[in-house]
Amino acid sequence: MAHASEGRGQEFRLPDLGEGLTEAEIVRWLVEVGDVVAVDQPVVEVETAKAMVEVPCPYGGVVTARFGEEGTELPVGAPLVTVAVGTGEDGAAPAAGTEAAASAGGESRVAESAGAASTGGESRAAEPVAARAEAAGSGNVLVGYGTSEAPARRRRVRPDRRAATGAAARTNGRVRVAGPVDGPVGGSADGPVEGLVDGPVPVISPLVRRLARQNDLDLRELTGSGPDGLILRADVEYALRASAAQGGRAADHEARTGRAPVTAPTAPASATTPGVPRSGTVRTPLKGVRGAVADKLSRSRREIPDATCWVDADATGLMRARTAMNASGGPKISLVALLARICTAALARFPELNATVDTEAREIVRFDDVHLGFAAQTDRGLVVPVVRDAHARDAEGLTAEFARLTEAAHEGRLTPGELTGGTFTLNNYGVFGVDGSTPIINHPEAAMLGVGRIVAKPWVHEGELAVRQVVQLSLTFDHRVCDGGTAGGFLRYVADCVEQPAVLLRTL
């Protein structure tokens, strides 16, 4: 028996995806209106300022409405989908064997439910379903934190064609609407919608979307060469080459239509005209990762009275120790892992720097565990993954975790939990070929160690001038948590360990 026709509409809103996140951009819809979804089944892929995640729906039933097109930015708490929840004993999706009944008697009622949800602006109130969702193993909103039960296969429940008041034709991912449309499609729900309405774009890879977005290419204009019209990276690259060869978008439009695009004549803007940008001005919105970084760095500058001290150190001994470790067999030890091990040893001696300031309570909060963040530059911008319990890991364990988090950062697979909760940050800006820096503290932490490039320089060693591997170390710290003596002692201990790694043996 089918429950879709008797279902109650449940509106699923965009949940809080992590600390400090207030909005997310829809990257790809994983379901369409009419699909049957199971509890905890991912329904949409979104990109936040910190990661790209799939959002599972805590309700099971028939999707009756979607809110927002791909590329739309939604605030936390905004509606994502409306699901018609069945009234059976399990409170989940309709049974798999009821497709015939759903198509015979439930189609029109599902369509009416979808129309009511969109034209009314609000879904009908329903009794709480928390008990049923908990019984089904739900209550979670992030993939990886929910139940381990595999989602059921989706099947399409097609709305009754008589419920629609206009004819539609789908071509290349777009729908041309000739009359009023049931459901929120970007216009007024109680009036006719004319023109083109964007539909789902057959793209799976976020890398393909990013490549198109960076080159201002509309994926809806492409025909995919993959299975079922899937747009591949090769399709995007071919389109970009073709557009460049034809002189840009205007020439491409002229080649397709046989006529040049008509534009209204515009008067040249004066450089002194208020509100008119100068020629060549480019405005980039502060959003996504760039916006999150800007907000966090600005807050750090406003709230933290920071100071910086630095010292040059002879890293020849550390480099030789690493060479000896890697020559003994086993996994290769990375340099950043050795620096992280030195950091954790220094924080054990100077725990004042493994802390934060609670401004509301006017208290310094000191942490026992070291959750070490490290700066990673990616195509999406600067991110700071966090190595949990770094103080409890050896050099091999730190090397493996750094490699895993770095790969996830470059592929955009970091979860919000892997980007928050740090207590101290290691910034290896030497990879950019620079010697020194005065970094901004990663709020709300209290300190950051910066490491410059290791380069051969003349150095007095054992009373004689020699060529040694020299590195500049800098420590930026919150002056509220300690004075200069503590900060200087921390940095001097780090430098001693870099120059003589055997110093670490005292604490192993």
Side-chain angles (χ1 to χ4, degrees), residues 300-301 304-310 352-353 424 438-441 445-449 474-491:
S300 179
R301 276 292 191 224
I304 299 179
D306 59 348
T308 302
C309 54
W310 56 89
E352 297 90 341
L353 294 170
F424 188 92
T438 56
I440 300 176
I441 295 176
E445 298 169 11
M448 175 186 292
L449 178 68
S474 64
L475 176 70
T476 300
F477 64 99
D478 187 340
H479 228 312
R480 296 173 297 178
V481 303
C482 70
D483 296 326
T486 300
F490 175 93
L491 188 59

PDB file of all heavy atoms in Angstrom, residues 300-301 304-310 352-353 424 438-441 445-449 474-491:
ATOM      1  N   SER A 300      40.620  38.743  14.486  1.00  0.00           N
ATOM      2  CA  SER A 300      41.867  38.541  15.226  1.00  0.00           C
ATOM      3  C   SER A 300      42.584  39.864  15.460  1.00  0.00           C
ATOM      4  O   SER A 300      43.059  40.149  16.567  1.00  0.00           O
ATOM      5  CB  SER A 300      42.779  37.569  14.469  1.00  0.00           C
ATOM      6  OG  SER A 300      43.999  37.376  15.152  1.00  0.00           O
ATOM      7  N   ARG A 301      42.651  40.693  14.432  1.00  0.00           N
ATOM      8  CA  ARG A 301      43.310  41.984  14.562  1.00  0.00           C
ATOM      9  C   ARG A 301      42.561  42.900  15.547  1.00  0.00           C
ATOM     10  O   ARG A 301      43.183  43.674  16.286  1.00  0.00           O
ATOM     11  CB  ARG A 301      43.414  42.659  13.203  1.00  0.00           C
ATOM     12  CG  ARG A 301      44.614  42.215  12.385  1.00  0.00           C
ATOM     13  CD  ARG A 301      45.889  42.700  13.054  1.00  0.00           C
ATOM     14  NE  ARG A 301      47.048  42.513  12.179  1.00  0.00           N
ATOM     15  CZ  ARG A 301      48.198  42.039  12.563  1.00  0.00           C
ATOM     16  NH1 ARG A 301      48.366  41.657  13.816  1.00  0.00           N
ATOM     17  NH2 ARG A 301      49.199  41.923  11.729  1.00  0.00           N
ATOM     18  N   ILE A 304      42.765  40.692  19.447  1.00  0.00           N
ATOM     19  CA  ILE A 304      43.973  40.131  20.063  1.00  0.00           C
ATOM     20  C   ILE A 304      45.114  41.138  20.014  1.00  0.00           C
ATOM     21  O   ILE A 304      45.540  41.547  18.923  1.00  0.00           O
ATOM     22  CB  ILE A 304      44.387  38.827  19.347  1.00  0.00           C
ATOM     23  CG1 ILE A 304      43.274  37.782  19.454  1.00  0.00           C
ATOM     24  CG2 ILE A 304      45.690  38.275  19.944  1.00  0.00           C
ATOM     25  CD1 ILE A 304      43.579  36.482  18.751  1.00  0.00           C
ATOM     26  N   PRO A 305      45.643  41.529  21.171  1.00  0.00           N
ATOM     27  CA  PRO A 305      46.843  42.373  21.210  1.00  0.00           C
ATOM     28  C   PRO A 305      48.089  41.512  21.014  1.00  0.00           C
ATOM     29  O   PRO A 305      48.704  41.035  21.970  1.00  0.00           O
ATOM     30  CB  PRO A 305      46.793  42.990  22.615  1.00  0.00           C
ATOM     31  CG  PRO A 305      46.064  41.980  23.442  1.00  0.00           C
ATOM     32  CD  PRO A 305      45.088  41.301  22.527  1.00  0.00           C
ATOM     33  N   ASP A 306      48.456  41.299  19.764  1.00  0.00           N
ATOM     34  CA  ASP A 306      49.519  40.345  19.464  1.00  0.00           C
ATOM     35  C   ASP A 306      50.881  41.025  19.425  1.00  0.00           C
ATOM     36  O   ASP A 306      50.995  42.234  19.251  1.00  0.00           O
ATOM     37  CB  ASP A 306      49.244  39.629  18.140  1.00  0.00           C
ATOM     38  CG  ASP A 306      49.142  40.602  16.972  1.00  0.00           C
ATOM     39  OD1 ASP A 306      49.061  41.821  17.230  1.00  0.00           O
ATOM     40  OD2 ASP A 306      49.138  40.160  15.818  1.00  0.00           O
ATOM     41  N   ALA A 307      51.899  40.207  19.607  1.00  0.00           N
ATOM     42  CA  ALA A 307      53.294  40.647  19.499  1.00  0.00           C
ATOM     43  C   ALA A 307      54.067  39.516  18.846  1.00  0.00           C
ATOM     44  O   ALA A 307      53.649  38.356  18.883  1.00  0.00           O
ATOM     45  CB  ALA A 307      53.872  40.980  20.881  1.00  0.00           C
ATOM     46  N   THR A 308      55.200  39.853  18.235  1.00  0.00           N
ATOM     47  CA  THR A 308      55.987  38.862  17.497  1.00  0.00           C
ATOM     48  C   THR A 308      57.452  38.952  17.907  1.00  0.00           C
ATOM     49  O   THR A 308      58.004  40.045  18.046  1.00  0.00           O
ATOM     50  CB  THR A 308      55.865  39.073  15.981  1.00  0.00           C
ATOM     51  OG1 THR A 308      54.491  38.985  15.594  1.00  0.00           O
ATOM     52  CG2 THR A 308      56.656  38.021  15.221  1.00  0.00           C
ATOM     53  N   CYS A 309      58.056  37.793  18.105  1.00  0.00           N
ATOM     54  CA  CYS A 309      59.507  37.714  18.315  1.00  0.00           C
ATOM     55  C   CYS A 309      60.049  36.658  17.357  1.00  0.00           C
ATOM     56  O   CYS A 309      59.326  35.757  16.928  1.00  0.00           O
ATOM     57  CB  CYS A 309      59.842  37.362  19.763  1.00  0.00           C
ATOM     58  SG  CYS A 309      59.052  35.873  20.409  1.00  0.00           S
ATOM     59  N   TRP A 310      61.304  36.773  16.985  1.00  0.00           N
ATOM     60  CA  TRP A 310      61.870  35.828  16.024  1.00  0.00           C
ATOM     61  C   TRP A 310      63.344  35.589  16.319  1.00  0.00           C
ATOM     62  O   TRP A 310      63.987  36.360  17.038  1.00  0.00           O
ATOM     63  CB  TRP A 310      61.681  36.318  14.588  1.00  0.00           C
ATOM     64  CG  TRP A 310      62.248  37.667  14.312  1.00  0.00           C
ATOM     65  CD1 TRP A 310      63.502  37.990  13.898  1.00  0.00           C
ATOM     66  CD2 TRP A 310      61.549  38.903  14.446  1.00  0.00           C
ATOM     67  NE1 TRP A 310      63.648  39.345  13.761  1.00  0.00           N
ATOM     68  CE2 TRP A 310      62.459  39.936  14.091  1.00  0.00           C
ATOM     69  CE3 TRP A 310      60.253  39.263  14.812  1.00  0.00           C
ATOM     70  CZ2 TRP A 310      62.113  41.282  14.105  1.00  0.00           C
ATOM     71  CZ3 TRP A 310      59.904  40.591  14.835  1.00  0.00           C
ATOM     72  CH2 TRP A 310      60.818  41.586  14.477  1.00  0.00           C
ATOM     73  N   GLU A 352      51.260  27.924  28.770  1.00  0.00           N
ATOM     74  CA  GLU A 352      50.504  29.178  28.701  1.00  0.00           C
ATOM     75  C   GLU A 352      50.097  29.526  27.261  1.00  0.00           C
ATOM     76  O   GLU A 352      49.108  30.234  27.055  1.00  0.00           O
ATOM     77  CB  GLU A 352      51.344  30.329  29.266  1.00  0.00           C
ATOM     78  CG  GLU A 352      51.707  30.196  30.731  1.00  0.00           C
ATOM     79  CD  GLU A 352      53.015  29.460  30.941  1.00  0.00           C
ATOM     80  OE1 GLU A 352      53.465  28.737  30.007  1.00  0.00           O
ATOM     81  OE2 GLU A 352      53.596  29.608  32.023  1.00  0.00           O
ATOM     82  N   LEU A 353      50.866  29.026  26.285  1.00  0.00           N
ATOM     83  CA  LEU A 353      50.588  29.354  24.887  1.00  0.00           C
ATOM     84  C   LEU A 353      49.571  28.414  24.253  1.00  0.00           C
ATOM     85  O   LEU A 353      49.106  28.686  23.143  1.00  0.00           O
ATOM     86  CB  LEU A 353      51.892  29.330  24.086  1.00  0.00           C
ATOM     87  CG  LEU A 353      52.897  30.424  24.480  1.00  0.00           C
ATOM     88  CD1 LEU A 353      54.237  30.185  23.824  1.00  0.00           C
ATOM     89  CD2 LEU A 353      52.347  31.792  24.103  1.00  0.00           C
ATOM     90  N   PHE A 424      46.637  25.553  18.731  1.00  0.00           N
ATOM     91  CA  PHE A 424      47.911  26.171  18.366  1.00  0.00           C
ATOM     92  C   PHE A 424      48.123  25.904  16.877  1.00  0.00           C
ATOM     93  O   PHE A 424      47.702  24.866  16.367  1.00  0.00           O
ATOM     94  CB  PHE A 424      49.060  25.574  19.195  1.00  0.00           C
ATOM     95  CG  PHE A 424      50.383  26.272  19.024  1.00  0.00           C
ATOM     96  CD1 PHE A 424      50.752  27.301  19.865  1.00  0.00           C
ATOM     97  CD2 PHE A 424      51.270  25.886  18.018  1.00  0.00           C
ATOM     98  CE1 PHE A 424      51.980  27.948  19.720  1.00  0.00           C
ATOM     99  CE2 PHE A 424      52.493  26.524  17.854  1.00  0.00           C
ATOM    100  CZ  PHE A 424      52.844  27.560  18.703  1.00  0.00           C
ATOM    101  N   THR A 438      55.336  38.000   9.924  1.00  0.00           N
ATOM    102  CA  THR A 438      54.660  38.269  11.198  1.00  0.00           C
ATOM    103  C   THR A 438      53.203  37.866  11.017  1.00  0.00           C
ATOM    104  O   THR A 438      52.352  38.696  10.723  1.00  0.00           O
ATOM    105  CB  THR A 438      54.764  39.758  11.587  1.00  0.00           C
ATOM    106  OG1 THR A 438      54.245  40.559  10.523  1.00  0.00           O
ATOM    107  CG2 THR A 438      56.198  40.137  11.857  1.00  0.00           C
ATOM    108  N   PRO A 439      52.894  36.591  11.154  1.00  0.00           N
ATOM    109  CA  PRO A 439      51.557  36.097  10.838  1.00  0.00           C
ATOM    110  C   PRO A 439      50.497  36.608  11.812  1.00  0.00           C
ATOM    111  O   PRO A 439      50.803  37.027  12.931  1.00  0.00           O
ATOM    112  CB  PRO A 439      51.717  34.579  10.941  1.00  0.00           C
ATOM    113  CG  PRO A 439      52.850  34.387  11.895  1.00  0.00           C
ATOM    114  CD  PRO A 439      53.780  35.528  11.653  1.00  0.00           C
ATOM    115  N   ILE A 440      49.254  36.571  11.357  1.00  0.00           N
ATOM    116  CA  ILE A 440      48.112  36.930  12.198  1.00  0.00           C
ATOM    117  C   ILE A 440      47.634  35.669  12.906  1.00  0.00           C
ATOM    118  O   ILE A 440      47.478  34.615  12.289  1.00  0.00           O
ATOM    119  CB  ILE A 440      46.979  37.540  11.347  1.00  0.00           C
ATOM    120  CG1 ILE A 440      47.484  38.801  10.640  1.00  0.00           C
ATOM    121  CG2 ILE A 440      45.772  37.871  12.208  1.00  0.00           C
ATOM    122  CD1 ILE A 440      46.460  39.415   9.695  1.00  0.00           C
ATOM    123  N   ILE A 441      47.383  35.774  14.205  1.00  0.00           N
ATOM    124  CA  ILE A 441      46.980  34.621  15.004  1.00  0.00           C
ATOM    125  C   ILE A 441      45.642  34.083  14.510  1.00  0.00           C
ATOM    126  O   ILE A 441      44.721  34.844  14.163  1.00  0.00           O
ATOM    127  CB  ILE A 441      46.893  35.016  16.494  1.00  0.00           C
ATOM    128  CG1 ILE A 441      48.283  35.398  17.008  1.00  0.00           C
ATOM    129  CG2 ILE A 441      46.325  33.880  17.331  1.00  0.00           C
ATOM    130  CD1 ILE A 441      48.288  35.904  18.435  1.00  0.00           C
ATOM    131  N   GLU A 445      42.790  31.184  18.969  1.00  0.00           N
ATOM    132  CA  GLU A 445      44.001  30.646  19.587  1.00  0.00           C
ATOM    133  C   GLU A 445      44.852  31.776  20.161  1.00  0.00           C
ATOM    134  O   GLU A 445      44.544  32.963  19.969  1.00  0.00           O
ATOM    135  CB  GLU A 445      44.786  29.833  18.557  1.00  0.00           C
ATOM    136  CG  GLU A 445      44.018  28.627  18.018  1.00  0.00           C
ATOM    137  CD  GLU A 445      44.698  27.985  16.823  1.00  0.00           C
ATOM    138  OE1 GLU A 445      45.866  28.350  16.541  1.00  0.00           O
ATOM    139  OE2 GLU A 445      44.076  27.143  16.162  1.00  0.00           O
ATOM    140  N   ALA A 446      45.930  31.393  20.847  1.00  0.00           N
ATOM    141  CA  ALA A 446      46.757  32.390  21.521  1.00  0.00           C
ATOM    142  C   ALA A 446      48.135  32.543  20.910  1.00  0.00           C
ATOM    143  O   ALA A 446      48.857  33.463  21.289  1.00  0.00           O
ATOM    144  CB  ALA A 446      46.895  32.038  23.002  1.00  0.00           C
ATOM    145  N   ALA A 447      48.515  31.674  19.981  1.00  0.00           N
ATOM    146  CA  ALA A 447      49.867  31.781  19.432  1.00  0.00           C
ATOM    147  C   ALA A 447      49.976  31.019  18.116  1.00  0.00           C
ATOM    148  O   ALA A 447      49.164  30.132  17.820  1.00  0.00           O
ATOM    149  CB  ALA A 447      50.910  31.254  20.434  1.00  0.00           C
ATOM    150  N   MET A 448      51.008  31.393  17.344  1.00  0.00           N
ATOM    151  CA  MET A 448      51.310  30.722  16.075  1.00  0.00           C
ATOM    152  C   MET A 448      52.813  30.740  15.858  1.00  0.00           C
ATOM    153  O   MET A 448      53.448  31.795  16.005  1.00  0.00           O
ATOM    154  CB  MET A 448      50.597  31.416  14.911  1.00  0.00           C
ATOM    155  CG  MET A 448      50.967  30.854  13.543  1.00  0.00           C
ATOM    156  SD  MET A 448      50.243  31.785  12.171  1.00  0.00           S
ATOM    157  CE  MET A 448      48.511  31.422  12.384  1.00  0.00           C
ATOM    158  N   LEU A 449      53.368  29.602  15.513  1.00  0.00           N
ATOM    159  CA  LEU A 449      54.789  29.502  15.180  1.00  0.00           C
ATOM    160  C   LEU A 449      54.957  29.547  13.678  1.00  0.00           C
ATOM    161  O   LEU A 449      54.328  28.777  12.950  1.00  0.00           O
ATOM    162  CB  LEU A 449      55.389  28.202  15.731  1.00  0.00           C
ATOM    163  CG  LEU A 449      56.861  27.967  15.401  1.00  0.00           C
ATOM    164  CD1 LEU A 449      57.742  28.977  16.132  1.00  0.00           C
ATOM    165  CD2 LEU A 449      57.281  26.538  15.734  1.00  0.00           C
ATOM    166  N   SER A 474      59.648  32.435  13.898  1.00  0.00           N
ATOM    167  CA  SER A 474      58.940  33.567  14.498  1.00  0.00           C
ATOM    168  C   SER A 474      57.765  33.051  15.310  1.00  0.00           C
ATOM    169  O   SER A 474      57.135  32.051  14.952  1.00  0.00           O
ATOM    170  CB  SER A 474      58.449  34.541  13.418  1.00  0.00           C
ATOM    171  OG  SER A 474      57.482  33.909  12.581  1.00  0.00           O
ATOM    172  N   LEU A 475      57.486  33.731  16.401  1.00  0.00           N
ATOM    173  CA  LEU A 475      56.351  33.387  17.251  1.00  0.00           C
ATOM    174  C   LEU A 475      55.481  34.626  17.438  1.00  0.00           C
ATOM    175  O   LEU A 475      55.949  35.646  17.958  1.00  0.00           O
ATOM    176  CB  LEU A 475      56.811  32.873  18.613  1.00  0.00           C
ATOM    177  CG  LEU A 475      55.678  32.575  19.605  1.00  0.00           C
ATOM    178  CD1 LEU A 475      54.891  31.349  19.161  1.00  0.00           C
ATOM    179  CD2 LEU A 475      56.209  32.401  21.015  1.00  0.00           C
ATOM    180  N   THR A 476      54.254  34.540  16.986  1.00  0.00           N
ATOM    181  CA  THR A 476      53.272  35.589  17.241  1.00  0.00           C
ATOM    182  C   THR A 476      52.355  35.108  18.351  1.00  0.00           C
ATOM    183  O   THR A 476      51.786  34.007  18.252  1.00  0.00           O
ATOM    184  CB  THR A 476      52.469  35.910  15.973  1.00  0.00           C
ATOM    185  OG1 THR A 476      53.366  36.350  14.949  1.00  0.00           O
ATOM    186  CG2 THR A 476      51.447  36.996  16.236  1.00  0.00           C
ATOM    187  N   PHE A 477      52.203  35.902  19.397  1.00  0.00           N
ATOM    188  CA  PHE A 477      51.463  35.435  20.563  1.00  0.00           C
ATOM    189  C   PHE A 477      50.526  36.518  21.082  1.00  0.00           C
ATOM    190  O   PHE A 477      50.718  37.719  20.841  1.00  0.00           O
ATOM    191  CB  PHE A 477      52.427  34.992  21.669  1.00  0.00           C
ATOM    192  CG  PHE A 477      53.290  36.102  22.219  1.00  0.00           C
ATOM    193  CD1 PHE A 477      52.953  36.743  23.407  1.00  0.00           C
ATOM    194  CD2 PHE A 477      54.440  36.505  21.557  1.00  0.00           C
ATOM    195  CE1 PHE A 477      53.740  37.773  23.914  1.00  0.00           C
ATOM    196  CE2 PHE A 477      55.231  37.532  22.053  1.00  0.00           C
ATOM    197  CZ  PHE A 477      54.890  38.172  23.233  1.00  0.00           C
ATOM    198  N   ASP A 478      49.500  36.086  21.807  1.00  0.00           N
ATOM    199  CA  ASP A 478      48.531  36.964  22.442  1.00  0.00           C
ATOM    200  C   ASP A 478      49.142  37.448  23.761  1.00  0.00           C
ATOM    201  O   ASP A 478      49.367  36.656  24.675  1.00  0.00           O
ATOM    202  CB  ASP A 478      47.232  36.191  22.684  1.00  0.00           C
ATOM    203  CG  ASP A 478      46.108  37.079  23.200  1.00  0.00           C
ATOM    204  OD1 ASP A 478      46.401  38.169  23.727  1.00  0.00           O
ATOM    205  OD2 ASP A 478      44.935  36.662  23.105  1.00  0.00           O
ATOM    206  N   HIS A 479      49.392  38.746  23.857  1.00  0.00           N
ATOM    207  CA  HIS A 479      50.060  39.283  25.038  1.00  0.00           C
ATOM    208  C   HIS A 479      49.195  39.196  26.297  1.00  0.00           C
ATOM    209  O   HIS A 479      49.695  39.429  27.415  1.00  0.00           O
ATOM    210  CB  HIS A 479      50.478  40.742  24.797  1.00  0.00           C
ATOM    211  CG  HIS A 479      51.896  41.023  25.174  1.00  0.00           C
ATOM    212  ND1 HIS A 479      52.448  40.623  26.375  1.00  0.00           N
ATOM    213  CD2 HIS A 479      52.893  41.663  24.502  1.00  0.00           C
ATOM    214  CE1 HIS A 479      53.702  41.005  26.435  1.00  0.00           C
ATOM    215  NE2 HIS A 479      54.014  41.636  25.306  1.00  0.00           N
ATOM    216  N   ARG A 480      47.927  38.861  26.143  1.00  0.00           N
ATOM    217  CA  ARG A 480      47.067  38.718  27.316  1.00  0.00           C
ATOM    218  C   ARG A 480      47.342  37.416  28.061  1.00  0.00           C
ATOM    219  O   ARG A 480      47.071  37.328  29.261  1.00  0.00           O
ATOM    220  CB  ARG A 480      45.588  38.769  26.901  1.00  0.00           C
ATOM    221  CG  ARG A 480      45.144  40.086  26.297  1.00  0.00           C
ATOM    222  CD  ARG A 480      43.728  39.996  25.765  1.00  0.00           C
ATOM    223  NE  ARG A 480      43.621  39.028  24.668  1.00  0.00           N
ATOM    224  CZ  ARG A 480      42.463  38.737  24.049  1.00  0.00           C
ATOM    225  NH1 ARG A 480      41.334  39.326  24.426  1.00  0.00           N
ATOM    226  NH2 ARG A 480      42.449  37.862  23.059  1.00  0.00           N
ATOM    227  N   VAL A 481      47.827  36.383  27.361  1.00  0.00           N
ATOM    228  CA  VAL A 481      48.001  35.085  28.012  1.00  0.00           C
ATOM    229  C   VAL A 481      49.383  34.927  28.625  1.00  0.00           C
ATOM    230  O   VAL A 481      49.586  34.063  29.483  1.00  0.00           O
ATOM    231  CB  VAL A 481      47.740  33.928  27.021  1.00  0.00           C
ATOM    232  CG1 VAL A 481      46.351  34.035  26.413  1.00  0.00           C
ATOM    233  CG2 VAL A 481      48.803  33.891  25.926  1.00  0.00           C
ATOM    234  N   CYS A 482      50.353  35.723  28.190  1.00  0.00           N
ATOM    235  CA  CYS A 482      51.711  35.598  28.744  1.00  0.00           C
ATOM    236  C   CYS A 482      52.489  36.863  28.450  1.00  0.00           C
ATOM    237  O   CYS A 482      52.077  37.700  27.642  1.00  0.00           O
ATOM    238  CB  CYS A 482      52.430  34.376  28.165  1.00  0.00           C
ATOM    239  SG  CYS A 482      52.871  34.532  26.426  1.00  0.00           S
ATOM    240  N   ASP A 483      53.631  36.962  29.103  1.00  0.00           N
ATOM    241  CA  ASP A 483      54.548  38.077  28.867  1.00  0.00           C
ATOM    242  C   ASP A 483      55.662  37.642  27.919  1.00  0.00           C
ATOM    243  O   ASP A 483      55.738  36.478  27.502  1.00  0.00           O
ATOM    244  CB  ASP A 483      55.127  38.565  30.194  1.00  0.00           C
ATOM    245  CG  ASP A 483      54.053  39.133  31.117  1.00  0.00           C
ATOM    246  OD1 ASP A 483      53.106  39.732  30.582  1.00  0.00           O
ATOM    247  OD2 ASP A 483      54.160  38.941  32.349  1.00  0.00           O
ATOM    248  N   GLY A 484      56.548  38.588  27.636  1.00  0.00           N
ATOM    249  CA  GLY A 484      57.615  38.307  26.679  1.00  0.00           C
ATOM    250  C   GLY A 484      58.572  37.228  27.136  1.00  0.00           C
ATOM    251  O   GLY A 484      59.160  36.524  26.300  1.00  0.00           O
ATOM    252  N   GLY A 485      58.732  37.074  28.463  1.00  0.00           N
ATOM    253  CA  GLY A 485      59.650  36.044  28.951  1.00  0.00           C
ATOM    254  C   GLY A 485      59.199  34.647  28.583  1.00  0.00           C
ATOM    255  O   GLY A 485      60.005  33.798  28.171  1.00  0.00           O
ATOM    256  N   THR A 486      57.887  34.402  28.722  1.00  0.00           N
ATOM    257  CA  THR A 486      57.350  33.086  28.351  1.00  0.00           C
ATOM    258  C   THR A 486      57.462  32.857  26.852  1.00  0.00           C
ATOM    259  O   THR A 486      57.868  31.779  26.398  1.00  0.00           O
ATOM    260  CB  THR A 486      55.882  32.969  28.791  1.00  0.00           C
ATOM    261  OG1 THR A 486      55.803  33.138  30.208  1.00  0.00           O
ATOM    262  CG2 THR A 486      55.302  31.628  28.402  1.00  0.00           C
ATOM    263  N   ALA A 487      57.084  33.869  26.057  1.00  0.00           N
ATOM    264  CA  ALA A 487      57.158  33.730  24.604  1.00  0.00           C
ATOM    265  C   ALA A 487      58.603  33.512  24.155  1.00  0.00           C
ATOM    266  O   ALA A 487      58.886  32.664  23.296  1.00  0.00           O
ATOM    267  CB  ALA A 487      56.569  34.963  23.929  1.00  0.00           C
ATOM    268  N   GLY A 488      59.536  34.290  24.725  1.00  0.00           N
ATOM    269  CA  GLY A 488      60.932  34.114  24.355  1.00  0.00           C
ATOM    270  C   GLY A 488      61.477  32.760  24.760  1.00  0.00           C
ATOM    271  O   GLY A 488      62.260  32.148  24.025  1.00  0.00           O
ATOM    272  N   GLY A 489      61.056  32.262  25.949  1.00  0.00           N
ATOM    273  CA  GLY A 489      61.498  30.940  26.372  1.00  0.00           C
ATOM    274  C   GLY A 489      60.992  29.845  25.459  1.00  0.00           C
ATOM    275  O   GLY A 489      61.722  28.894  25.125  1.00  0.00           O
ATOM    276  N   PHE A 490      59.740  29.969  25.014  1.00  0.00           N
ATOM    277  CA  PHE A 490      59.181  28.987  24.074  1.00  0.00           C
ATOM    278  C   PHE A 490      59.986  28.971  22.782  1.00  0.00           C
ATOM    279  O   PHE A 490      60.400  27.913  22.284  1.00  0.00           O
ATOM    280  CB  PHE A 490      57.714  29.323  23.800  1.00  0.00           C
ATOM    281  CG  PHE A 490      57.057  28.465  22.754  1.00  0.00           C
ATOM    282  CD1 PHE A 490      56.366  27.325  23.106  1.00  0.00           C
ATOM    283  CD2 PHE A 490      57.121  28.803  21.401  1.00  0.00           C
ATOM    284  CE1 PHE A 490      55.752  26.530  22.146  1.00  0.00           C
ATOM    285  CE2 PHE A 490      56.522  28.016  20.439  1.00  0.00           C
ATOM    286  CZ  PHE A 490      55.844  26.880  20.819  1.00  0.00           C
ATOM    287  N   LEU A 491      60.210  30.151  22.207  1.00  0.00           N
ATOM    288  CA  LEU A 491      60.886  30.222  20.910  1.00  0.00           C
ATOM    289  C   LEU A 491      62.335  29.762  21.030  1.00  0.00           C
ATOM    290  O   LEU A 491      62.858  29.091  20.126  1.00  0.00           O
ATOM    291  CB  LEU A 491      60.818  31.644  20.367  1.00  0.00           C
ATOM    292  CG  LEU A 491      61.303  31.846  18.934  1.00  0.00           C
ATOM    293  CD1 LEU A 491      60.496  30.993  17.963  1.00  0.00           C
ATOM    294  CD2 LEU A 491      61.222  33.317  18.536  1.00  0.00           C
TER     295      LEU A 491
END
